[in-house]
Amino acid sequence: MTVKSRWFGGAVLCGCLMAGQALADCTPPAVSGDLDFSVCKEWPAYPGQAISAKAGFKPAADDGEGGTYGFYDLDLSVAQDGQPGPVATYRQTSAYESDGVALSQMSLDTARYTLTTDLRAFGVRARFTNASRLNPMEEVQLSLYVREGATLRPVLQKLLVYQFSGEWDDDCTGQRSEMTRTVEVAKTSSHGYADLIVKTQQTGTTSAGKGETCKDSSTVYKPALTTLRYDGKSYVLPQGFKGL
């Protein structure tokens, strides 16, 4: 279940959670501003638990009233059926920045990120976009969190899993590039946590000509595999793998 700001879509999207028992209490946290984001999702790895996330926007002091430049505070929590309040929480001030390229969507990722025999992480995906037609840009970041008692702890921060950018003349001539990354849990481990295998796929496209003579030429590059290893505190990202 997701609540999106009016800035992004102007709607509240509601969904029924039908896997296992319905979590009637899995409702997105309340938001107070048009630029805020709020999501909630059942955590299949742990029956009866649900994850909630909220990104609260704080405008920069020098941006003026109604501006979109500022920062987002991130609040995460895990709820358990039958418990009156959250059983685990996490808060990060200024987790995301909005400056030309703005946060446009937030979602929860409950794929099988099994890091130890009895510990599974969940993900928060944050999508950023700009408003330019001639120089479009979009990226998606993935962060992973584990529960340790009453605390949620980040173990992977802002892995860039999607990126699109381009530049064109509003007619034909231009170029664009697209990159996608997928994450797989490896059989090897470092400091007690499973290694993560990241597969990167890149495509580049060039357009040239005018009107009906406009043609695209695309190059699909060979996929590249990179292993991320846990250093005892978090997974280390190589240069170029971290989002904004």
Side-chain angles (χ1 to χ4, degrees):
M1 186 179 295
T2 306
V3 171
K4 297 181 180 179
S5 69
R6 290 197 295 272
W7 177 82
F8 179 68
V12 175
L13 304 180
C14 297
C16 295
L17 299 175
M18 301 301 294
Q21 83 177 61
L23 293 177
D25 293 332
C26 186
T27 55
V31 297
S32 58
D34 291 347
L35 300 181
D36 295 352
F37 292 83
S38 179
V39 292
C40 180
K41 187 177 183 181
E42 178 186 5
W43 197 356
Y46 301 98
Q49 293 188 6
I51 308 161
S52 294
K54 182 176 75 171
F57 180 72
K58 297 187 306 182
D62 58 351
D63 196 38
E65 185 176 353
T68 59
Y69 168 58
F71 298 87
Y72 281 89
D73 292 341
L74 177 65
D75 287 281
L76 302 177
S77 64
V78 172
Q80 174 72 56
D81 278 358
Q83 298 295 322
V87 294
T89 60
Y90 173 78
R91 178 176 176 80
Q92 182 182 358
T93 59
S94 300
Y96 305 120
E97 182 177 4
S98 176
D99 182 13
V101 180
L103 181 66
S104 59
Q105 187 181 43
M106 184 172 65
S107 62
L108 293 168
D109 183 349
T110 55
R112 295 182 178 180
Y113 299 113
T114 305
L115 304 184
T116 72
T117 55
D118 57 358
L119 183 65
R120 186 177 293 186
F122 69 86
V124 175
R125 290 178 179 259
R127 182 180 300 274
F128 294 82
T129 57
N130 67 5
S132 174
R133 290 184 66 253
L134 301 183
N135 299 92
M137 186 273 182
E138 178 179 352
E139 77 169 47
V140 178
Q141 305 170 4
L142 170 65
S143 298
L144 296 181
Y145 300 83
V146 296
R147 180 184 172 188
E148 296 178 341
T151 301
L152 299 172
R153 182 172 67 87
V155 293
L156 174 68
Q157 298 200 62
K158 298 185 177 182
L159 171 65
L160 189 60
V161 293
Y162 178 80
Q163 186 177 62
F164 175 87
S165 62
E167 181 178 2
W168 69 306
D169 63 359
D170 205 18
D171 179 19
C172 171
T173 304
Q175 55 188 5
R176 56 192 181 274
S177 63
E178 186 175 32
M179 181 276 296
T180 59
R181 288 191 174 113
T182 56
V183 180
E184 180 181 346
V185 177
K187 294 181 179 179
T188 57
S189 64
S190 303
H191 294 275
Y193 275 39
D195 297 332
L196 301 177
I197 300 175
V198 178
K199 180 180 179 181
T200 302
Q201 178 68 68
Q202 291 182 289
T203 303
T205 302
T206 300
S207 301
K210 291 184 178 296
E212 295 182 356
T213 66
C214 183
K215 293 184 178 180
D216 291 340
S217 176
S218 296
T219 302
V220 178
Y221 297 94
K222 183 179 179 180
L225 298 180
T226 305
T227 300
L228 304 183
R229 293 181 172 84
Y230 187 71
D231 67 359
K233 294 183 179 180
S234 64
Y235 285 91
V236 179
L237 294 180
Q239 185 174 1
F241 275 62
K242 191 169 186 177
L244 294 171

